[in-house]
Amino acid sequence: MTRTARHRLVWLGLVCLLASCGGGGDGGGGTGPSDANTLERLTGDKQTGIAGQALPAPLVVRVHDKSGSAVSGVSVSFAVAAGGGSLSNSSATTDANGQASVTLTLGPAAGTNNNQVTASATGLTGSPVTFTASATAPSPVVVGAISPDTLTQGNQATITGSGFSATAVTNVVTIGGVAATVTSASATSLTITVPTICRATQPLPVVVTVSGSASPAVNAPVKPAAYLTVPLGKQVILHTASNLCVQLAPSSTAEQYLVGVQSVSDVPTSVTPITLTGDLAPGGAPSTMAAPIAPMTSSVPSGQGIEPERSPRARRLMAHRDAEAQFQASINRLYPSPAALRARRAPSTSFTAGFSIPSDAAVGDTVQMKFPDITSTDPCTMSIPVKAVVRAIGTHGIWLEDVANPAN
């Protein structure tokens, strides 16, 4: 090997050696968790925000090895040390730049550096690191205007004012005490979805609450997306629980509705308890809605001479018993017992049914008959005169038509 060749080989080896030593720097490819050496606070310290709301910037830490290169895949734990706030996550894993971050929502109290968060990673130099943040008192929450003027259940509405949180879920909006869904938010405007409220159309209080601070109520009329329409003399059957809020349109004339409940059980003795409540718009006519269903009978103190109030079920049973008694009385009249028949028999009260037909009767002839009066107390002696026309004559019978009562 010549001198020149030896020099070339040494030069190439030196180049390869230098290339293998590359790597350092902040985003230069990183190393594995086993190379992690140091945990340092990067950004997010000493922020100021509104009490009860999230800080504007995240809390960020960085993990690197001994040479200062970023280390990815290292788990960092975060915890609230003071102030009573909350974190978006309790831990985070470093990315390709060796960074891990969380967001702090400040506690409810105002103060300087009164919120603290620690970040730690096992075995690393500098762990744990501490972040501090200051909280200012929130501005008073005020509802200035609500659009549209009349809110429709299930539709969007806009609330403008001040003191709102830019984080939608931090704002609590209630309408008539029912929570609405906040879909977007800024410090001065909220977009909501009006909830389903089982109330008559009327102004209801709208309240916005942010971090425990509630606005004065502002009334806004609320109406259903659609009223239930029941044609006169017709019925509407409601099957699902979501339809059990019946909202009827205002009317200038008196209207009456009958509400019935069918048990979900096929067992006749099963009872389905219900509670029926009503709501009347201001200025409406007094409600005549019945109270919730009573027991089978309501007891009354003795000695007052008042008939107990009976529930609908008790009244139905009584009507059934009355009808059964009337039917049984009719059966007894039509089919008297042998003793009753013997008591009625007497030579002077024999009854001739009057079913005899003249032997020369022909089709088309009109004949007079007597038929037992089954509605009387004694069908054996009481009869009804019947005028009939002979319609057909057979070997064993004759067909007669009662011309005075053809419908029967």
Side-chain angles (χ1 to χ4, degrees):
M1 182 179 295
T2 64
R3 179 182 179 86
T4 301
R6 284 197 303 270
H7 287 174
R8 185 179 296 114
L9 289 175
V10 172
W11 175 253
L12 290 175
L14 179 61
V15 171
C16 292
L17 178 62
L18 291 175
S20 66
C21 294
D26 282 350
T31 54
S34 60
D35 300 313
N37 179 262
T38 304
L39 175 70
E40 63 177 345
R41 184 177 57 224
L42 198 60
T43 60
D45 190 30
K46 300 297 183 182
Q47 294 186 72
T48 298
I50 299 174
Q53 298 189 25
L55 288 175
L59 312 182
V60 184
V61 295
R62 180 176 180 269
V63 175
H64 59 78
D65 60 15
K66 291 181 179 180
S67 65
S69 297
V71 179
S72 63
V74 177
S75 178
V76 179
S77 298
F78 293 86
V80 174
S86 61
L87 297 168
S88 57
N89 290 291
S90 59
S91 65
T93 302
T94 57
D95 58 17
N97 295 317
Q99 298 178 12
S101 64
V102 295
T103 299
L104 169 65
T105 297
L106 296 172
T112 301
N113 296 329
N114 61 331
N115 288 261
Q116 292 184 1
V117 174
T118 60
S120 58
T122 303
L124 299 189
T125 301
S127 177
V129 297
T130 301
F131 294 85
T132 60
S134 301
T136 60
S139 301
V141 183
V142 177
V143 174
I146 302 174
S147 178
D149 293 335
T150 298
L151 305 181
T152 301
Q153 298 175 28
N155 288 5
Q156 296 288 306
T158 301
I159 302 174
T160 56
S162 60
F164 303 156
S165 170
T167 303
V169 295
T170 308
N171 304 278
V172 178
V173 178
T174 59
I175 303 176
V178 179
T181 300
V182 181
T183 55
S184 63
S186 70
T188 58
S189 178
L190 302 175
T191 301
I192 66 168
T193 300
V194 181
T196 298
I197 306 172
C198 198
R199 299 284 302 274
T201 299
Q202 59 185 289
L204 297 175
V206 178
V207 177
V208 178
T209 303
V210 180
S211 301
S213 177
S215 70
V218 175
N219 289 335
V222 181
K223 68 176 183 179
Y227 292 105
L228 177 68
T229 301
V230 183
L232 182 63
K234 303 296 183 180
Q235 69 174 357
V236 175
I237 300 176
L238 307 177
H239 296 282
T240 59
S242 60
N243 293 331
L244 295 184
C245 175
V246 177
Q247 294 178 291
L248 304 170
S251 174
S252 58
T253 59
E255 296 178 347
Q256 290 184 334
Y257 296 87
L258 176 64
V259 180
V261 178
Q262 180 175 339
S263 176
V264 297
S265 173
D266 293 331
V267 180
T269 57
S270 175
V271 176
T272 300
I274 66 164
T275 300
L276 191 63
T277 58
D279 185 50
L280 191 66
S287 175
T288 57
M289 180 176 293
I293 284 183
M296 178 67 73
T297 58
S298 300
S299 60
V300 180
S302 60
Q304 294 188 3
I306 303 174
E307 183 180 358
E309 177 186 2
R310 292 180 173 83
S311 69
R313 183 183 177 204
R315 291 195 295 270
R316 289 194 299 271
L317 289 175
M318 290 182 63
H320 174 75
R321 295 189 187 105
D322 291 343
E324 179 69 20
Q326 293 176 13
F327 176 74
Q328 189 62 46
S330 298
I331 292 297
N332 292 337
R333 287 196 303 269
L334 293 175
Y335 304 100
S337 65
L341 287 175
R342 287 193 297 270
R344 291 175 182 176
R345 286 177 185 159
S348 60
T349 58
S350 60
F351 174 74
T352 303
F355 281 105
S356 60
I357 305 298
S359 60
D360 58 350
V363 174
D365 289 350
T366 299
V367 297
Q368 294 292 333
M369 299 179 54
K370 290 187 295 182
F371 192 80
D373 184 359
I374 62 174
T375 62
S376 68
T377 57
D378 188 2
C380 293
T381 60
M382 305 297 290
S383 64
I384 300 173
V386 175
K387 180 191 290 185
V389 175
V390 180
R391 294 302 185 191
I393 300 177
T395 304
H396 301 288
I398 296 178
W399 175 23
L400 302 175
E401 180 183 357
D402 180 0
V403 295
N405 191 19
N408 295 325

